[in-house]
Amino acid sequence: MTGEERIRRLVADFRRGRRPALARAISMVEGERPGVSDLLRELLLVRPRARRMGITGPPGAGKSTLAAAIAALLRERGEEVAIVAVDPTSPFSGGALLGDRIRMNDLATDPGIFIRSMASRGSLGGLATTTREVIDVLDAFGFPNILIETVGVGQTQFEIQAAADSTAVVLVPESGDGIQAMKAGLMEVADMFVVNKSDRVGADRLVREIRQALLLKHGVTSRGVPAHHGVDLSAVGAPADEEPSRSGRWEIPVLKTSAGRGEGIDDFLEQILAHHRHLTVTGELEARRQRRAEGRIRDVVERRLRRRARTRMETHPRLAEWTAGVRAGSETAYSVADRIIPAILGRVPERGTEERRDPSDVDD
Ligand SMILES: Nc1nc2c(ncn2[C@@H]2O[C@H](COP(=O)(O)OP(=O)(O)OP(=O)(O)O)[C@@H](O)[C@H]2O)c(=O)[nH]1
Ligand SMILES: [Mg+2]
């Protein structure tokens, strides 16, 4: 079978909803394998429809346990769920969920659930591009719900926020200074806060701290905020027939859960769904999808240009000479770049005249 035939068959199997085809497609994307751009050209010709829910927070906060519990609830409603764990520090374990109603192992064997752990960076060091593409692939496969778990440190949370529609930031009492976590940028990305491990001491204090930080940041009063929830239920948590107005502002809720005991999970799911309704009626969902589409184009363009630049530079016949010039002080990186860039941008490497397809132009 030629590579082309193999891709065609993979696409056909994928469209028929075959799981092995999904798994192979994801492996190809992750491994940046040859043919991946031809594959994605076909697979991603669909309108994105999934609810993309990000769950981020410090290591060990219970993100996987929460994701699995949310997935279990969605399964009870008959909905399929994909879970992507990005750079997990520990695997999904076989614990009990929802107060022993479900075991995590049941989820692993449920065909309505797809769980995948992956690294955030591809071999080219492309910023989470492969992660974003894997999520797009899961959406194209038809998963109506995609949960994206990431460790909220460094910059990854911003990258993942761009991939998700809603982002929940999970904190735990023992992560100590809640405000510290906010400073690390988690506050910027939160559509809701979840204080997990509320079976431990300090949960209420952390909830209060987060609420205070939110008040400071947004300069709002606690108008209409029920003490128990931190969210204006009249505006956002309402039943479907009482949707928020187009101008309605989203009040960031601060929730309390104990994923281990299965407490607060229904509430958490309700808030995720409410946020999604909010995004839909305000038009923000389409705006986010538009930004995401722009980001994808940028991703592919930058990846190809970077690859092309690297190949052309490394194979440039005068590179050694110019490098020596920089070392000797007769050239600078800038003067060399002025000469190399036209060679990179030109379609044909040196003096040639005919158009040819350069192998460095394909991003696989
Ligand atoms: N006491 C208590 N323990 C919990 C709770 N939720 C999760 N845990 C435990 O905390 C540990 C870490 O949970 P995970 O769900 O793996 O946490 P995580 O945030 O996904 O961790 P990483 O992916 O490694 O960053 C596990 O031993 C869980 O059983 C909770 O609500 N209360
Ligand atoms: Mg985890």
Side-chain angles (χ1 to χ4, degrees):
M1 227 187 333
T2 67
E4 217 172 286
E5 279 164 3
R6 217 172 292 133
I7 299 278
R8 215 174 311 126
R9 178 167 305 181
L10 181 54
V11 169
D13 284 348
F14 185 95
R15 291 200 174 128
R16 273 184 220 116
R18 302 237 168 104
R19 279 305 168 85
L22 172 64
R24 264 208 66 214
I26 290 178
S27 298
M28 282 182 69
V29 172
E30 272 189 295
E32 299 177 64
R33 303 261 175 77
V36 79
S37 59
D38 291 332
L39 178 69
L40 293 181
R41 239 185 270 273
E42 294 294 321
L43 294 189
L44 299 184
L45 277 178
V46 283
R47 191 179 159 77
R49 280 197 319 237
R51 258 189 231 120
R52 300 169 181 221
M53 304 167 263
I55 299 182
T56 191
K63 301 178 296 294
S64 295
T65 317
L66 282 168
I70 291 289
L73 278 188
L74 287 165
R75 288 301 291 142
E76 286 183 357
R77 299 176 178 209
E79 292 191 36
E80 302 203 333
V81 189
I83 304 176
V84 181
V86 183
D87 294 333
T89 53
S90 59
F92 273 84
S93 50
L97 288 174
L98 306 180
D100 251 352
R101 229 153 74 223
I102 295 168
R103 299 200 66 81
M104 247 199 259
N105 294 336
D106 299 341
L107 290 186
T109 55
D110 178 347
I113 301 249
F114 183 89
I115 300 177
R116 183 85 176 201
S117 295
M118 62 181 299
S120 64
R121 264 141 232 281
S123 59
L124 275 183
L127 290 177
T129 303
T130 53
T131 312
R132 291 193 283 262
E133 283 173 342
V134 166
I135 295 163
D136 287 344
V137 166
L138 288 165
D139 194 337
F141 191 76
F143 279 102
N145 300 287
I146 303 174
L147 292 166
I148 307 152
E149 176 194 334
T150 56
V151 180
V153 290
Q155 289 299 303
T156 44
Q157 78 258 25
F158 294 106
E159 290 163 10
I160 297 310
Q161 186 207 21
D165 302 321
S166 306
T167 303
V169 170
V170 182
L171 296 171
V172 283
E174 61 266 45
S175 59
D177 192 353
I179 307 304
Q180 210 49 43
M182 312 266 164
K183 284 194 190 128
L186 284 173
M187 190 142 188
E188 315 305 320
V189 303
D191 294 308
M192 63 197 72
F193 282 96
V194 177
V195 173
N196 190 40
K197 304 198 187 179
S198 62
D199 47 290
R200 301 203 173 147
V201 287
D204 288 317
R205 209 186 105 219
L206 180 57
V207 169
R208 276 197 305 277
E209 279 176 6
I210 297 168
R211 287 201 181 132
Q212 269 157 15
L214 285 171
L215 287 177
L216 280 176
K217 177 161 186 276
H218 297 292
V220 291
T221 63
S222 48
R223 169 192 52 83
V225 179
H228 137 87
H229 236 164
V231 61
D232 184 353
L233 288 176
S234 64
V236 294
D241 58 340
E242 283 175 60
E243 293 292 356
S245 68
R246 278 191 153 266
S247 61
R249 218 182 109 229
W250 175 254
E251 303 257 4
I252 298 170
V254 184
L255 312 168
K256 242 171 42 170
T257 58
S258 170
R261 293 187 187 165
E263 286 165 13
I265 309 296
D266 297 81
D267 220 20
F268 181 21
L269 177 58
E270 274 323 306
Q271 290 302 327
I272 293 172
L273 299 180
H275 186 247
H276 218 264
R277 287 197 296 273
H278 169 84
L279 293 178
T280 308
V281 298
T282 55
E284 181 58 23
L285 184 62
E286 283 314 312
R288 285 186 189 199
R289 285 178 173 161
Q290 174 81 15
R291 284 199 292 276
R292 223 180 274 148
E294 285 166 11
R296 287 306 179 281
I297 297 170
R298 207 165 41 232
D299 277 349
V300 175
V301 170
E302 285 177 0
R303 184 166 54 190
R304 283 192 193 175
L305 286 179
R306 208 182 312 123
R307 195 180 296 246
R308 184 196 248 228
R310 206 173 289 179
T311 338
R312 296 253 171 119
M313 196 186 98
E314 281 163 5
T315 57
H316 198 288
R318 298 185 63 192
L319 182 68
E321 174 196 331
W322 288 335
T323 308
V326 172
R327 252 187 26 235
S330 59
E331 295 273 3
T332 64
Y334 295 91
S335 62
V336 174
D338 288 342
R339 285 193 223 127
I340 285 184
I341 287 170
I344 291 170
L345 295 180
R347 259 210 88 76
V348 185
E350 300 284 55
R351 287 183 307 276
T353 45
E354 87 278 32
E355 279 279 314
R356 1 188 205 112
R357 190 165 155 95
D358 187 295
S360 62
D361 284 351
V362 284
D363 54 347
D364 55 43

